[in-house]
Amino acid sequence: MTSICPHCRQPGIANLAKRWSSRGAPATCPHCGGFSHVLASTSSGITMGGVLIVVLFAIAAGASGQWVLIVPGIALAIAHNLWAWRRAKLYPIARDSVTHARAANGLIAGLLVLLGLN
């Protein structure tokens, strides 16, 4: 299954490309070559929603002493993840914005390496 490109409105962006898209590494449409990405807040929200579901089920399992409750929690987190990524909207991004985002990502990665060396 593929997602619809916000540039040309054709289905063609793979779901895996959509999941890993960001401003610095956008998904590319095979039809028009346009770049698009899922907002970082949406991506983080989907991840944190799944983590919250698992944590809540783990707390309930620990409180009740029935650790088997973690299994439906994990299943619900996976179902939430699949549902949320299908609903996540792709936003178009210009080529020059991608270049600037990649430069900023490189700068931040370099700073993190320098801070990690100390």
PDB file of all heavy atoms in Angstrom, residues 76-101:
ATOM      1  N   LEU A  76      -2.195  -3.823  21.251  1.00  0.00           N
ATOM      2  CA  LEU A  76      -2.889  -2.546  21.078  1.00  0.00           C
ATOM      3  C   LEU A  76      -1.925  -1.455  20.608  1.00  0.00           C
ATOM      4  O   LEU A  76      -2.278  -0.628  19.772  1.00  0.00           O
ATOM      5  CB  LEU A  76      -3.569  -2.134  22.389  1.00  0.00           C
ATOM      6  CG  LEU A  76      -4.410  -0.863  22.342  1.00  0.00           C
ATOM      7  CD1 LEU A  76      -5.554  -1.024  21.347  1.00  0.00           C
ATOM      8  CD2 LEU A  76      -4.945  -0.538  23.722  1.00  0.00           C
ATOM      9  N   ALA A  77      -0.703  -1.462  21.133  1.00  0.00           N
ATOM     10  CA  ALA A  77       0.292  -0.480  20.704  1.00  0.00           C
ATOM     11  C   ALA A  77       0.640  -0.661  19.228  1.00  0.00           C
ATOM     12  O   ALA A  77       0.786   0.323  18.487  1.00  0.00           O
ATOM     13  CB  ALA A  77       1.547  -0.589  21.569  1.00  0.00           C
ATOM     14  N   ILE A  78       0.767  -1.907  18.788  1.00  0.00           N
ATOM     15  CA  ILE A  78       1.054  -2.167  17.370  1.00  0.00           C
ATOM     16  C   ILE A  78      -0.119  -1.730  16.498  1.00  0.00           C
ATOM     17  O   ILE A  78       0.076  -1.102  15.454  1.00  0.00           O
ATOM     18  CB  ILE A  78       1.390  -3.660  17.164  1.00  0.00           C
ATOM     19  CG1 ILE A  78       2.742  -3.982  17.808  1.00  0.00           C
ATOM     20  CG2 ILE A  78       1.412  -4.024  15.683  1.00  0.00           C
ATOM     21  CD1 ILE A  78       3.067  -5.457  17.871  1.00  0.00           C
ATOM     22  N   ALA A  79      -1.327  -2.047  16.917  1.00  0.00           N
ATOM     23  CA  ALA A  79      -2.513  -1.638  16.157  1.00  0.00           C
ATOM     24  C   ALA A  79      -2.612  -0.110  16.088  1.00  0.00           C
ATOM     25  O   ALA A  79      -2.924   0.452  15.025  1.00  0.00           O
ATOM     26  CB  ALA A  79      -3.766  -2.223  16.796  1.00  0.00           C
ATOM     27  N   HIS A  80      -2.334   0.557  17.199  1.00  0.00           N
ATOM     28  CA  HIS A  80      -2.345   2.025  17.209  1.00  0.00           C
ATOM     29  C   HIS A  80      -1.301   2.583  16.246  1.00  0.00           C
ATOM     30  O   HIS A  80      -1.565   3.531  15.505  1.00  0.00           O
ATOM     31  CB  HIS A  80      -2.082   2.543  18.626  1.00  0.00           C
ATOM     32  CG  HIS A  80      -1.824   4.014  18.662  1.00  0.00           C
ATOM     33  ND1 HIS A  80      -0.559   4.533  18.644  1.00  0.00           N
ATOM     34  CD2 HIS A  80      -2.665   5.075  18.677  1.00  0.00           C
ATOM     35  CE1 HIS A  80      -0.635   5.854  18.657  1.00  0.00           C
ATOM     36  NE2 HIS A  80      -1.908   6.197  18.679  1.00  0.00           N
ATOM     37  N   ASN A  81      -0.111   1.989  16.257  1.00  0.00           N
ATOM     38  CA  ASN A  81       0.964   2.447  15.385  1.00  0.00           C
ATOM     39  C   ASN A  81       0.563   2.325  13.913  1.00  0.00           C
ATOM     40  O   ASN A  81       0.737   3.270  13.132  1.00  0.00           O
ATOM     41  CB  ASN A  81       2.233   1.637  15.669  1.00  0.00           C
ATOM     42  CG  ASN A  81       3.433   2.177  14.953  1.00  0.00           C
ATOM     43  OD1 ASN A  81       3.532   2.070  13.735  1.00  0.00           O
ATOM     44  ND2 ASN A  81       4.349   2.745  15.707  1.00  0.00           N
ATOM     45  N   LEU A  82       0.031   1.177  13.523  1.00  0.00           N
ATOM     46  CA  LEU A  82      -0.381   0.972  12.130  1.00  0.00           C
ATOM     47  C   LEU A  82      -1.493   1.940  11.734  1.00  0.00           C
ATOM     48  O   LEU A  82      -1.452   2.538  10.651  1.00  0.00           O
ATOM     49  CB  LEU A  82      -0.832  -0.472  11.921  1.00  0.00           C
ATOM     50  CG  LEU A  82       0.244  -1.541  12.076  1.00  0.00           C
ATOM     51  CD1 LEU A  82      -0.382  -2.927  12.027  1.00  0.00           C
ATOM     52  CD2 LEU A  82       1.310  -1.372  11.014  1.00  0.00           C
ATOM     53  N   TRP A  83      -2.482   2.108  12.605  1.00  0.00           N
ATOM     54  CA  TRP A  83      -3.600   3.009  12.318  1.00  0.00           C
ATOM     55  C   TRP A  83      -3.129   4.454  12.195  1.00  0.00           C
ATOM     56  O   TRP A  83      -3.517   5.176  11.279  1.00  0.00           O
ATOM     57  CB  TRP A  83      -4.647   2.872  13.426  1.00  0.00           C
ATOM     58  CG  TRP A  83      -5.745   3.874  13.342  1.00  0.00           C
ATOM     59  CD1 TRP A  83      -6.830   3.833  12.521  1.00  0.00           C
ATOM     60  CD2 TRP A  83      -5.851   5.075  14.111  1.00  0.00           C
ATOM     61  NE1 TRP A  83      -7.618   4.938  12.739  1.00  0.00           N
ATOM     62  CE2 TRP A  83      -7.034   5.719  13.706  1.00  0.00           C
ATOM     63  CE3 TRP A  83      -5.067   5.661  15.093  1.00  0.00           C
ATOM     64  CZ2 TRP A  83      -7.442   6.916  14.252  1.00  0.00           C
ATOM     65  CZ3 TRP A  83      -5.486   6.853  15.634  1.00  0.00           C
ATOM     66  CH2 TRP A  83      -6.657   7.472  15.215  1.00  0.00           C
ATOM     67  N   ALA A  84      -2.280   4.876  13.135  1.00  0.00           N
ATOM     68  CA  ALA A  84      -1.835   6.274  13.151  1.00  0.00           C
ATOM     69  C   ALA A  84      -0.959   6.594  11.942  1.00  0.00           C
ATOM     70  O   ALA A  84      -1.068   7.682  11.376  1.00  0.00           O
ATOM     71  CB  ALA A  84      -1.077   6.561  14.449  1.00  0.00           C
ATOM     72  N   TRP A  85      -0.094   5.666  11.541  1.00  0.00           N
ATOM     73  CA  TRP A  85       0.757   5.945  10.378  1.00  0.00           C
ATOM     74  C   TRP A  85      -0.040   5.979   9.086  1.00  0.00           C
ATOM     75  O   TRP A  85       0.311   6.697   8.157  1.00  0.00           O
ATOM     76  CB  TRP A  85       1.902   4.949  10.288  1.00  0.00           C
ATOM     77  CG  TRP A  85       3.049   5.381  11.128  1.00  0.00           C
ATOM     78  CD1 TRP A  85       3.484   4.803  12.277  1.00  0.00           C
ATOM     79  CD2 TRP A  85       3.892   6.516  10.920  1.00  0.00           C
ATOM     80  NE1 TRP A  85       4.540   5.507  12.786  1.00  0.00           N
ATOM     81  CE2 TRP A  85       4.814   6.552  11.983  1.00  0.00           C
ATOM     82  CE3 TRP A  85       3.954   7.506   9.939  1.00  0.00           C
ATOM     83  CZ2 TRP A  85       5.779   7.542  12.082  1.00  0.00           C
ATOM     84  CZ3 TRP A  85       4.915   8.489  10.042  1.00  0.00           C
ATOM     85  CH2 TRP A  85       5.814   8.498  11.105  1.00  0.00           C
ATOM     86  N   ARG A  86      -1.124   5.228   9.003  1.00  0.00           N
ATOM     87  CA  ARG A  86      -1.971   5.318   7.810  1.00  0.00           C
ATOM     88  C   ARG A  86      -2.661   6.666   7.735  1.00  0.00           C
ATOM     89  O   ARG A  86      -2.916   7.189   6.658  1.00  0.00           O
ATOM     90  CB  ARG A  86      -3.005   4.209   7.806  1.00  0.00           C
ATOM     91  CG  ARG A  86      -2.402   2.901   7.442  1.00  0.00           C
ATOM     92  CD  ARG A  86      -3.433   1.853   7.203  1.00  0.00           C
ATOM     93  NE  ARG A  86      -2.747   0.574   7.131  1.00  0.00           N
ATOM     94  CZ  ARG A  86      -3.325  -0.577   7.182  1.00  0.00           C
ATOM     95  NH1 ARG A  86      -4.617  -0.648   7.305  1.00  0.00           N
ATOM     96  NH2 ARG A  86      -2.626  -1.675   7.115  1.00  0.00           N
ATOM     97  N   ARG A  87      -2.990   7.231   8.895  1.00  0.00           N
ATOM     98  CA  ARG A  87      -3.673   8.531   8.937  1.00  0.00           C
ATOM     99  C   ARG A  87      -2.724   9.729   8.883  1.00  0.00           C
ATOM    100  O   ARG A  87      -3.170  10.845   8.663  1.00  0.00           O
ATOM    101  CB  ARG A  87      -4.523   8.630  10.200  1.00  0.00           C
ATOM    102  CG  ARG A  87      -5.693   7.696  10.207  1.00  0.00           C
ATOM    103  CD  ARG A  87      -6.535   7.907  11.444  1.00  0.00           C
ATOM    104  NE  ARG A  87      -6.735   9.301  11.767  1.00  0.00           N
ATOM    105  CZ  ARG A  87      -7.826  10.009  11.482  1.00  0.00           C
ATOM    106  NH1 ARG A  87      -8.815   9.427  10.869  1.00  0.00           N
ATOM    107  NH2 ARG A  87      -7.922  11.269  11.836  1.00  0.00           N
ATOM    108  N   ALA A  88      -1.430   9.495   9.117  1.00  0.00           N
ATOM    109  CA  ALA A  88      -0.465  10.598   9.143  1.00  0.00           C
ATOM    110  C   ALA A  88      -0.422  11.279   7.781  1.00  0.00           C
ATOM    111  O   ALA A  88      -0.403  10.630   6.732  1.00  0.00           O
ATOM    112  CB  ALA A  88       0.920  10.079   9.518  1.00  0.00           C
ATOM    113  N   LYS A  89      -0.411  12.595   7.807  1.00  0.00           N
ATOM    114  CA  LYS A  89      -0.453  13.384   6.579  1.00  0.00           C
ATOM    115  C   LYS A  89       0.960  13.738   6.128  1.00  0.00           C
ATOM    116  O   LYS A  89       1.810  14.108   6.938  1.00  0.00           O
ATOM    117  CB  LYS A  89      -1.258  14.659   6.819  1.00  0.00           C
ATOM    118  CG  LYS A  89      -1.453  15.492   5.600  1.00  0.00           C
ATOM    119  CD  LYS A  89      -2.309  16.704   5.877  1.00  0.00           C
ATOM    120  CE  LYS A  89      -2.420  17.556   4.633  1.00  0.00           C
ATOM    121  NZ  LYS A  89      -3.099  18.807   4.885  1.00  0.00           N
ATOM    122  N   LEU A  90       1.182  13.629   4.824  1.00  0.00           N
ATOM    123  CA  LEU A  90       2.442  14.056   4.224  1.00  0.00           C
ATOM    124  C   LEU A  90       2.336  15.526   3.839  1.00  0.00           C
ATOM    125  O   LEU A  90       1.316  15.966   3.293  1.00  0.00           O
ATOM    126  CB  LEU A  90       2.754  13.228   2.976  1.00  0.00           C
ATOM    127  CG  LEU A  90       3.292  11.832   3.212  1.00  0.00           C
ATOM    128  CD1 LEU A  90       3.258  11.027   1.921  1.00  0.00           C
ATOM    129  CD2 LEU A  90       4.707  11.902   3.747  1.00  0.00           C
ATOM    130  N   TYR A  91       3.384  16.273   4.125  1.00  0.00           N
ATOM    131  CA  TYR A  91       3.430  17.687   3.771  1.00  0.00           C
ATOM    132  C   TYR A  91       4.522  17.904   2.735  1.00  0.00           C
ATOM    133  O   TYR A  91       5.622  17.366   2.862  1.00  0.00           O
ATOM    134  CB  TYR A  91       3.717  18.541   5.007  1.00  0.00           C
ATOM    135  CG  TYR A  91       2.546  18.587   5.956  1.00  0.00           C
ATOM    136  CD1 TYR A  91       2.408  17.646   6.969  1.00  0.00           C
ATOM    137  CD2 TYR A  91       1.566  19.549   5.810  1.00  0.00           C
ATOM    138  CE1 TYR A  91       1.325  17.676   7.821  1.00  0.00           C
ATOM    139  CE2 TYR A  91       0.475  19.587   6.672  1.00  0.00           C
ATOM    140  CZ  TYR A  91       0.363  18.651   7.671  1.00  0.00           C
ATOM    141  OH  TYR A  91      -0.710  18.677   8.505  1.00  0.00           O
ATOM    142  N   PRO A  92       4.240  18.715   1.709  1.00  0.00           N
ATOM    143  CA  PRO A  92       5.272  18.976   0.701  1.00  0.00           C
ATOM    144  C   PRO A  92       6.390  19.835   1.285  1.00  0.00           C
ATOM    145  O   PRO A  92       6.172  20.621   2.206  1.00  0.00           O
ATOM    146  CB  PRO A  92       4.517  19.727  -0.397  1.00  0.00           C
ATOM    147  CG  PRO A  92       3.327  20.321   0.277  1.00  0.00           C
ATOM    148  CD  PRO A  92       2.987  19.407   1.413  1.00  0.00           C
ATOM    149  N   ILE A  93       7.582  19.649   0.745  1.00  0.00           N
ATOM    150  CA  ILE A  93       8.734  20.433   1.180  1.00  0.00           C
ATOM    151  C   ILE A  93       9.559  20.783  -0.059  1.00  0.00           C
ATOM    152  O   ILE A  93       9.723  19.962  -0.964  1.00  0.00           O
ATOM    153  CB  ILE A  93       9.563  19.678   2.239  1.00  0.00           C
ATOM    154  CG1 ILE A  93      10.691  20.543   2.780  1.00  0.00           C
ATOM    155  CG2 ILE A  93      10.079  18.362   1.710  1.00  0.00           C
ATOM    156  CD1 ILE A  93      11.393  19.960   3.983  1.00  0.00           C
ATOM    157  N   ALA A  94      10.033  22.021  -0.113  1.00  0.00           N
ATOM    158  CA  ALA A  94      10.820  22.480  -1.256  1.00  0.00           C
ATOM    159  C   ALA A  94      12.243  21.932  -1.190  1.00  0.00           C
ATOM    160  O   ALA A  94      12.759  21.615  -0.117  1.00  0.00           O
ATOM    161  CB  ALA A  94      10.849  24.012  -1.276  1.00  0.00           C
ATOM    162  N   ARG A  95      12.889  21.836  -2.350  1.00  0.00           N
ATOM    163  CA  ARG A  95      14.245  21.290  -2.419  1.00  0.00           C
ATOM    164  C   ARG A  95      15.246  22.119  -1.619  1.00  0.00           C
ATOM    165  O   ARG A  95      16.134  21.567  -0.972  1.00  0.00           O
ATOM    166  CB  ARG A  95      14.702  21.196  -3.868  1.00  0.00           C
ATOM    167  CG  ARG A  95      13.941  20.163  -4.655  1.00  0.00           C
ATOM    168  CD  ARG A  95      14.517  19.976  -6.056  1.00  0.00           C
ATOM    169  NE  ARG A  95      13.643  19.136  -6.852  1.00  0.00           N
ATOM    170  CZ  ARG A  95      13.605  17.822  -6.788  1.00  0.00           C
ATOM    171  NH1 ARG A  95      14.386  17.185  -5.949  1.00  0.00           N
ATOM    172  NH2 ARG A  95      12.781  17.121  -7.546  1.00  0.00           N
ATOM    173  N   ASP A  96      15.127  23.439  -1.639  1.00  0.00           N
ATOM    174  CA  ASP A  96      16.075  24.269  -0.887  1.00  0.00           C
ATOM    175  C   ASP A  96      15.886  24.097   0.618  1.00  0.00           C
ATOM    176  O   ASP A  96      16.840  24.162   1.382  1.00  0.00           O
ATOM    177  CB  ASP A  96      15.976  25.739  -1.285  1.00  0.00           C
ATOM    178  CG  ASP A  96      14.599  26.332  -1.077  1.00  0.00           C
ATOM    179  OD1 ASP A  96      13.626  25.567  -1.046  1.00  0.00           O
ATOM    180  OD2 ASP A  96      14.505  27.563  -0.943  1.00  0.00           O
ATOM    181  N   SER A  97      14.648  23.835   1.058  1.00  0.00           N
ATOM    182  CA  SER A  97      14.409  23.568   2.481  1.00  0.00           C
ATOM    183  C   SER A  97      15.050  22.255   2.912  1.00  0.00           C
ATOM    184  O   SER A  97      15.547  22.137   4.029  1.00  0.00           O
ATOM    185  CB  SER A  97      12.914  23.514   2.773  1.00  0.00           C
ATOM    186  OG  SER A  97      12.334  24.784   2.567  1.00  0.00           O
ATOM    187  N   VAL A  98      15.052  21.277   2.013  1.00  0.00           N
ATOM    188  CA  VAL A  98      15.698  19.996   2.306  1.00  0.00           C
ATOM    189  C   VAL A  98      17.196  20.209   2.480  1.00  0.00           C
ATOM    190  O   VAL A  98      17.815  19.674   3.406  1.00  0.00           O
ATOM    191  CB  VAL A  98      15.410  18.962   1.190  1.00  0.00           C
ATOM    192  CG1 VAL A  98      16.222  17.696   1.394  1.00  0.00           C
ATOM    193  CG2 VAL A  98      13.931  18.650   1.128  1.00  0.00           C
ATOM    194  N   THR A  99      17.795  21.015   1.600  1.00  0.00           N
ATOM    195  CA  THR A  99      19.233  21.296   1.682  1.00  0.00           C
ATOM    196  C   THR A  99      19.575  21.967   3.008  1.00  0.00           C
ATOM    197  O   THR A  99      20.548  21.587   3.675  1.00  0.00           O
ATOM    198  CB  THR A  99      19.663  22.199   0.510  1.00  0.00           C
ATOM    199  OG1 THR A  99      19.266  21.565  -0.709  1.00  0.00           O
ATOM    200  CG2 THR A  99      21.149  22.412   0.505  1.00  0.00           C
ATOM    201  N   HIS A 100      18.782  22.948   3.409  1.00  0.00           N
ATOM    202  CA  HIS A 100      19.029  23.642   4.673  1.00  0.00           C
ATOM    203  C   HIS A 100      18.827  22.721   5.873  1.00  0.00           C
ATOM    204  O   HIS A 100      19.590  22.774   6.839  1.00  0.00           O
ATOM    205  CB  HIS A 100      18.121  24.864   4.803  1.00  0.00           C
ATOM    206  CG  HIS A 100      18.394  25.924   3.785  1.00  0.00           C
ATOM    207  ND1 HIS A 100      19.631  26.500   3.607  1.00  0.00           N
ATOM    208  CD2 HIS A 100      17.585  26.515   2.878  1.00  0.00           C
ATOM    209  CE1 HIS A 100      19.575  27.393   2.640  1.00  0.00           C
ATOM    210  NE2 HIS A 100      18.333  27.424   2.174  1.00  0.00           N
ATOM    211  N   ALA A 101      17.805  21.864   5.814  1.00  0.00           N
ATOM    212  CA  ALA A 101      17.548  20.936   6.914  1.00  0.00           C
ATOM    213  C   ALA A 101      18.681  19.918   7.044  1.00  0.00           C
ATOM    214  O   ALA A 101      19.084  19.570   8.150  1.00  0.00           O
ATOM    215  CB  ALA A 101      16.218  20.214   6.699  1.00  0.00           C
TER     216      ALA A 101
END
